[in-house]
Amino acid sequence: QVHLVESGGGSVQAGGSLKLSCAASGRTFSSYVMGWFRQDPGKEREFVASIWWDGGNRIYAGSVKGRFTISRDNAKNTVYLQMDKLKPEDTAVYFCAAAYGTTWLRDQRQVDYWGQGTQVTVSS
């Protein structure tokens, strides 16, 4: 069982930055591929980024590549999402996700555990 709690959301102007954190409970955190997804009301939840167990490989959605950076600290059971050059279209609820037994996490159907979500609002 893994319990995920996000923090760091908020409101920012376009071009600004935010850093999201996701703290995980459980001693097997390093066994999970971790990721971030986001969802705007009335839209499908979409993939943002994911990172391997050891942080060695990361993948990003095309819409955030070059602006967002995912990282993890297994000693702290925490995964991060640094978001720079934010745009109004990045506005959404951001969810932390954990997947076990997979390599490349990019589909919400692969996710075993979800956080409760944190709101990010970018104004123009």
Side-chain angles (χ1 to χ4, degrees):
Q1 186 79 13
V2 176
H3 184 59
L4 305 173
V5 179
E6 302 98 334
S7 61
S11 297
V12 65
Q13 288 195 325
S17 298
L18 282 174
K19 185 173 184 177
L20 305 183
S21 299
C22 173
S25 64
R27 291 178 289 178
T28 59
F29 174 76
S30 60
S31 301
Y32 286 82
V33 175
M34 299 299 297
W36 290 92
F37 289 72
R38 66 187 182 186
Q39 187 169 21
D40 221 3
K43 294 185 179 179
E44 292 278 321
R45 190 169 295 190
E46 65 174 4
F47 168 75
V48 176
S50 64
I51 186 168
W52 276 17
W53 317 270
D54 62 355
N57 282 284
R58 315 171 195 196
I59 55 173
Y60 298 91
S63 59
V64 306
K65 197 169 186 180
R67 299 187 298 121
F68 290 11
T69 303
I70 188 171
S71 61
R72 67 189 294 165
D73 185 337
N74 287 342
K76 296 182 178 179
N77 280 12
T78 302
V79 62
Y80 305 96
L81 185 68
Q82 176 67 44
M83 305 185 294
D84 298 316
K85 301 178 183 177
L86 282 160
K87 303 176 181 180
E89 50 264 44
D90 294 319
T91 295
V93 176
Y94 283 71
F95 296 90
C96 180
Y100 184 79
T102 188
T103 303
W104 300 107
L105 170 60
R106 52 166 63 98
D107 189 314
Q108 60 175 315
R109 291 170 293 182
Q110 299 172 280
V111 175
D112 295 301
Y113 300 101
W114 292 101
Q116 82 288 352
T118 186
Q119 177 70 47
V120 170
T121 303
V122 184
S123 57
S124 57

